[in-house]
């Protein structure tokens, strides 16, 4: 999930990785393009992206929007449906919502 959240180009200087292959190599600096798992901000960004996704497109996918708002924990969804047909509808809406 985190690798699917892209960092605005103006903010990429704030998230860098310093790398050195061996002690003889020069130091290389990389700017990250997406959220990195393990950073302090990653859980917050993951949750705010889900909320924004529902605000932007939830009206098109009401079953998915409801599940994302009430049944998500980070990138895990724990939900259910009354019958097989409803479960399939929910699955299809979730896929469509997450595709953006």
């Amino acid at each position: 999930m985190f690798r699917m959240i892209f960092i605005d180009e103006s903010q990429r200087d704030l998230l860098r990785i310093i790398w050195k292959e061996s002690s003889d190599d020069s130091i290389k600096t990389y700017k990250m393009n997406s959220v990195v798992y393990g950073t302090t901000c990653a859980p917050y960004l993951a949750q705010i992206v889900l909320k924004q996704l529902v605000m932007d497109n939830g009206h098109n996918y009401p079953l998915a929007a409801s599940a994302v708002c009430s049944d998500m924990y980070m990138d895990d969804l724990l939900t259910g449906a009354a019958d097989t047909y409803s479960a399939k509808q929910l699955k299809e809406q979730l896929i469509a919502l997450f595709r953006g």
Side-chain angles (χ1 to χ4, degrees):
M1 177 180 193
F2 298 119
R3 304 302 293 169
M4 299 299 294
I5 303 171
F6 291 98
I7 303 296
D8 187 88
E9 197 167 334
S10 68
Q11 301 297 306
R12 291 180 185 165
D13 281 332
L14 302 172
L15 191 58
R16 293 178 180 244
I17 291 179
I18 298 172
W19 188 260
K20 197 172 181 180
E21 289 288 332
S22 69
S23 59
D24 298 331
D25 285 345
S26 61
I27 294 175
K28 296 177 184 172
T29 304
Y30 298 95
K31 293 181 190 179
M32 299 305 297
N33 294 331
S34 60
V35 173
V36 178
Y37 176 79
T39 56
T40 304
C41 63
Y44 167 77
L45 292 172
Q47 294 304 302
I48 205 70
V49 164
L50 289 175
K51 288 180 191 231
Q52 189 67 49
L53 191 59
V54 168
M55 287 189 328
D56 292 348
N57 298 318
H59 61 279
N60 295 323
Y61 311 104
L63 296 174
S66 177
V68 168
C69 287
S70 62
D71 301 337
M72 289 286 300
Y73 178 76
M74 299 308 294
D75 59 349
D76 296 320
L77 177 69
L78 181 60
T79 193
D83 53 59
T84 304
Y85 176 78
S86 299
K88 287 180 181 178
Q89 291 288 96
L90 175 58
K91 179 192 86 163
E92 299 209 359
Q93 285 192 22
L94 285 163
I95 290 168
L97 178 65
F98 289 136
R99 280 194 180 139

